């Protein structure tokens, strides 16, 4: 369901070690600068930008929720664990040479194809 199969295998292999920083905050610019014509790198850059925006919103929400006694701490912790898992998911997917979208937010297209 999340697999995208229209990418060139050679492109994936060539750029899989360039694409992984896309999931580490502002480092989503690295694959965009190093491999601007690679559809594989652009896919992961787009996913990285969407994830970056999502993480800013989720992080802000987590900090706001922290003010609620007890429950806020657990909710914030859950949000930060979710963000860590999503980061690992993105990095591992890119390094594996695969193209899998994030659930829910992965369909958002920011970069032109």
């Amino acid at each position: 369901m999340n697999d995208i199969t229209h990418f060139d295998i050679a492109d994936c292999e060539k750029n899989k070690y360039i694409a992984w920083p896309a999931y580490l905050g502002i480092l989503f610019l690295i694959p965009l600068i190093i491999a601007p014509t690679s559809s594989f790198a652009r896919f992961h850059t787009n996913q990285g930008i969407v994830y970056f925006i999502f993480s800013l919103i989720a992080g802000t929400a987590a900090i706001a929720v922290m003010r609620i006694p007890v429950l806020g701490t657990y909710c914030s912790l859950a949000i930060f664990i979710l963000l860590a898992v999503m980061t690992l998911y993105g990095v591992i997917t890119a390094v594996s040479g695969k193209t899998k979208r994030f659930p829910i937010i992965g369909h958002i297209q920011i970069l032109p194809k």
Side-chain angles (χ1 to χ4, degrees), residues 35-58:
T37 59
S38 166
S39 59
F40 179 78
R42 287 183 73 80
F43 170 83
H44 284 288
T45 301
N46 185 75
Q47 291 286 288
I49 293 170
V50 170
Y51 172 65
F52 179 69
I53 294 167
F54 173 76
S55 66
L56 288 176
I57 294 167

Side-chain angles (χ1 to χ4, degrees), residues 8-80:
D8 181 35
I9 294 171
D11 182 28
C12 296
E13 284 299 313
K14 179 181 176 189
N15 293 301
K16 66 183 180 182
Y17 296 113
I18 294 170
W20 71 267
Y23 299 99
L24 303 175
I26 195 73
L27 296 180
F28 65 77
L29 293 171
I30 290 175
L32 191 60
I33 293 169
I34 294 176
T37 59
S38 166
S39 59
F40 179 78
R42 287 183 73 80
F43 170 83
H44 284 288
T45 301
N46 185 75
Q47 291 286 288
I49 293 170
V50 170
Y51 172 65
F52 179 69
I53 294 167
F54 173 76
S55 66
L56 288 176
I57 294 167
T60 303
I63 290 169
V65 170
M66 257 192 238
R67 298 186 184 274
I68 301 170
V70 183
L71 180 63
T73 303
Y74 291 116
C75 288
S76 296
L77 181 62
I79 291 170
F80 288 123

